Amino acid sequence: MRLVGPSGEQVGIVPLAKALELAQEYDLDLVEVAANARPPVCKLMDYGKFKYESAMKAREARKNQAHTVIKEMKLRPKIDPHDYDTKKGHVVRFLKQGDKVKITIMFRGREQSRPELGYRLLQRLAEDVQDLGFVESNPKQDGRNMIMVLGPHKKKTEAMAEARQAQEARKAEAKANPGKSQNAAETEAPAEEPAEA
């Protein structure tokens, strides 16, 4: 077998007995790295430490992994302006987080004969959030509903990284200025002057 030493150096081709003897001498494990190679490649290493480091790398990779989520927002054609602003705020938040947003307009009764109202509402929403997202799927009628999908300009991983940096910055600021918010409130409130009698 071809043997690789503990620090990655090539020992050479050695018999199994000699490799096991070297492993005992270094107080390490003999691990087969490439079984299909001719001759097979083995390495002297601490197998427990190797498994632990592999698990930590896999955990770190999963932590940085992002799942694409499709959030849904439901509207009605005759939505109140304030309600529209609230729903638009939710869509903005979802797009900033890097999620896709499926917007559904539900038609009831006579509203079904006026699909252009829903289409205009979807176009207005797409224009309002065009700096954060783009129309991934154009509005289309699906029975009583009209559906449009908005996709974010930035990827989920970028959004997660930005959120993590912002959170770390807030923690660092809070650590640097402990009690700043309490002291700021005390200094901003003017002291009351005693009333003259």
Side-chain angles (χ1 to χ4, degrees):
M1 73 174 63
R2 186 178 300 279
L3 187 65
V4 179
S7 53
E9 76 278 2
Q10 293 287 333
V11 175
I13 297 174
V14 294
L16 178 62
K18 174 91 165 125
L20 288 170
E21 192 179 296
L22 282 170
Q24 283 181 341
E25 187 181 310
Y26 284 112
D27 194 28
L28 292 171
D29 301 313
L30 182 65
V31 180
E32 190 173 38
V33 180
N36 296 334
R38 289 283 166 245
V41 180
C42 294
K43 184 174 181 179
L44 295 173
M45 67 170 74
D46 183 354
Y47 189 64
K49 183 179 176 185
F50 171 73
K51 277 180 68 176
Y52 173 75
E53 287 173 352
S54 300
M56 292 307 288
K57 283 179 188 172
R59 187 173 163 196
E60 195 66 31
R62 276 197 309 274
K63 184 175 153 186
N64 294 332
Q65 196 174 28
H67 302 289
T68 303
V69 180
I70 297 182
K71 304 282 189 173
E72 186 169 9
M73 190 58 53
K74 293 187 175 184
L75 306 170
R76 295 289 311 278
K78 297 178 185 173
I79 190 167
D80 186 65
H82 180 266
D83 292 340
Y84 172 80
D85 291 338
T86 304
K87 300 269 188 178
K88 184 179 82 173
H90 293 310
V91 171
V92 165
R93 186 184 57 188
F94 295 149
L95 290 173
K96 279 184 180 175
Q97 291 173 354
D99 295 322
K100 291 182 180 182
V101 185
K102 175 182 174 185
I103 294 127
T104 305
I105 295 197
M106 302 173 296
F107 296 99
R108 287 195 193 142
R110 293 180 183 168
E111 293 172 348
Q112 292 178 43
S113 64
R114 301 285 307 277
E116 67 276 2
L117 292 175
Y119 185 80
R120 273 190 293 215
L121 185 63
L122 289 174
Q123 290 301 318
R124 176 178 157 205
L125 182 62
E127 287 172 13
D128 288 349
V129 297
Q130 68 183 357
D131 55 328
L132 296 170
F134 61 95
V135 177
E136 195 170 278
S137 170
N138 285 317
K140 57 181 170 263
Q141 191 82 26
D142 180 26
R144 290 183 171 200
N145 300 329
M146 185 175 280
I147 298 168
M148 176 176 78
V149 178
L150 293 173
H153 284 308
K154 62 180 158 185
K155 293 188 172 83
K156 181 82 170 177
T157 50
E158 294 171 11
M160 285 171 58
E162 282 181 15
R164 205 174 299 127
Q165 286 174 350
Q167 186 178 13
E168 288 171 5
R170 282 194 301 270
K171 281 182 184 176
E173 189 174 325
K175 209 174 205 180
N177 303 326
K180 178 188 172 202
S181 57
Q182 187 179 10
N183 294 339
E186 290 172 4
T187 56
E188 285 176 9
E192 290 183 21
E193 294 182 17
E196 292 180 23

